[in-house]
Amino acid sequence: MEQATNPLLCDPAKGVCEIPGTDTVARQQGITGNKPVEIVYFTDPICSSCWGIEPQLRKMKLEYGADIRVSYHMGGLLPDWSYNSGGISKPSDVAHHWDEVSRYYDMPIDGDVWLEDPLPSSYPPSIAFKAAQLQDEYKAIAFLRRIREMVFLEKKNITKWEHLAQAALQTGLDTDRLKADYAREAETLFKADLDLARKSGVRGFPTLQINGQAGKQEILYGFRPYEAFEAALAKVHPGITKTPYVTSRESLFTHYPTLTTKEYAVLSNQTTEQSETQLEQAFRQGILDKVTTKNGPMWQRKDARQ
């Protein structure tokens, strides 16, 4: 039976990459952890809508990091190509769609990876992320960011070990251990993530379950403006603290070694035009490096890839 939707056909209007044949998001018991708000984030390395919310997610961590903890779980967006639905039946069909989504979210994405070196599945990079988590949670998040940059901006097939190993080295992970864990516990952990997503009724990505104390929960499903993130946090934890942060270029690139123009604009509270002018000037002065794609640049600290 043909599925009604295709997981790679991320609907910009909804702001979500949907899993075919799934139900609505179910409420789940809140998880408190060590901080008053626990955010359970269901995502996938090749989810273009998840790339679209990186500016909001990064700002939320800067402003509310004292009160929130974000736990990352993989959702299994593309098991393989054994389906034909939603206007996409082969990898090359995704290329134009990604270019359209890039313009919609104002985040650089080059869809030509699906023409030049298409991915057969999103499972290998998802399992690699679980292997990275076994080493270090912070480095694992940096690793996920790096492999997303590789696939969205650099047109690299992140199912290939050479790219996963490079990303591991660049984010301070032990590549030998990553490979060993990938072949052992990581696949079991990935399957546990898939089970959790099913039990939670997750039907697409990004899905964020925002859990406060006393069982309070809000669900953010798909691409949402930053105000929606703040409103959800306030509902589950009315006393949540918003901490001011320094918005200078130097400070922002200390927190995040790579930033798109949209991310910089959101984090610095400026327009895209103002941000582009400042970042281009810093590039010309040799302060920043620039990764150029057909759908926009990403800027990076000089030592970001050492």
Side-chain angles (χ1 to χ4, degrees):
M1 180 178 177
E2 183 174 319
Q3 302 286 5
T5 58
N6 185 294
L8 286 178
L9 195 63
C10 302
D11 186 342
K14 292 183 180 177
V16 68
C17 302
E18 291 186 324
I19 306 172
T22 50
D23 246 316
T24 56
V25 176
R27 298 272 165 171
Q28 185 187 356
Q29 181 63 37
I31 305 168
T32 57
N34 296 324
K35 295 185 178 181
V37 178
E38 171 83 7
I39 300 175
V40 182
Y41 179 25
F42 293 96
T43 185
D44 187 278
I46 68 168
C47 167
S48 55
S49 294
C50 298
W51 181 242
I53 70 162
E54 280 284 280
Q56 295 92 310
L57 197 60
R58 285 181 148 191
K59 184 166 188 173
M60 181 178 65
K61 288 179 179 179
L62 287 179
E63 288 197 317
Y64 296 98
D67 284 342
I68 67 171
R69 178 180 180 274
V70 183
S71 62
Y72 286 68
H73 299 272
M74 298 293 100
L77 183 60
L78 179 65
D80 54 47
W81 283 97
S82 61
Y83 57 79
N84 180 351
S85 65
I88 293 180
S89 60
K90 56 187 182 299
S92 60
D93 293 333
V94 185
H96 178 64
H97 172 66
W98 267 22
D99 289 336
E100 288 183 331
V101 168
S102 176
R103 290 187 290 272
Y104 189 89
Y105 294 136
D106 197 20
M107 286 284 283
I109 304 174
D110 191 334
D112 287 352
V113 64
W114 297 104
L115 303 175
E116 299 172 8
D117 195 3
L119 288 70
S121 169
S122 67
Y123 279 28
S126 298
I127 295 169
F129 171 73
K130 301 310 293 184
Q133 281 185 311
L134 288 170
Q135 288 191 46
D136 183 282
E137 185 72 26
Y138 179 82
K139 290 179 181 178
I141 294 169
F143 174 77
L144 177 61
R145 169 71 184 205
R146 181 67 191 113
I147 61 176
R148 279 180 166 151
E149 293 171 355
M150 285 179 162
V151 70
F152 290 127
L153 307 178
E154 300 168 23
K155 302 183 292 183
K156 291 180 178 178
N157 182 338
I158 56 172
T159 66
K160 295 181 176 179
W161 175 250
E162 62 192 271
H163 300 315
L164 295 173
Q166 181 188 26
L169 280 172
Q170 291 173 335
T171 52
L173 292 165
D174 183 325
T175 54
D176 290 336
R177 181 180 169 187
L178 187 81
K179 194 169 188 177
D181 288 339
Y182 180 96
R184 294 195 298 255
E185 299 107 303
E187 186 169 0
T188 300
L189 293 172
F190 173 57
K191 289 179 180 177
D193 274 3
L194 297 183
D195 289 341
L196 178 61
R198 279 192 293 268
K199 290 175 183 176
S200 301
V202 173
R203 56 190 172 91
F205 314 105
T207 293
L208 294 93
Q209 296 178 341
I210 303 180
N211 303 299
Q213 296 175 335
K216 292 182 179 179
Q217 184 184 80
E218 290 291 315
I219 303 290
L220 286 185
Y221 177 56
F223 181 88
R224 293 290 182 271
Y226 187 63
E227 292 75 17
F229 285 74
E230 291 193 292
L233 292 174
K235 285 182 180 179
V236 303
H237 187 55
I240 196 162
T241 302
K242 183 174 182 176
T243 304
Y245 64 91
V246 179
T247 60
S248 68
R249 187 195 67 237
E250 294 80 5
S251 179
L252 293 179
F253 278 95
T254 297
H255 285 291
Y256 300 118
T258 63
L259 289 165
T260 66
T261 306
K262 176 64 177 292
E263 288 176 319
Y264 185 81
V266 169
L267 297 181
S268 63
N269 302 313
Q270 297 183 102
T271 66
T272 301
E273 291 74 19
Q274 289 171 326
S275 298
E276 189 170 13
T277 298
Q278 289 181 13
L279 294 167
E280 188 65 43
Q281 183 179 25
F283 169 66
R284 289 196 301 267
Q285 293 172 345
I287 298 170
L288 296 175
D289 286 331
K290 181 180 180 181
V291 177
T292 302
T293 79
K294 68 178 184 180
N295 289 322
M298 181 182 72
W299 315 86
Q300 59 188 38
R301 214 168 57 204
K302 281 290 186 179
D303 63 349
R305 296 289 171 255
Q306 294 178 359

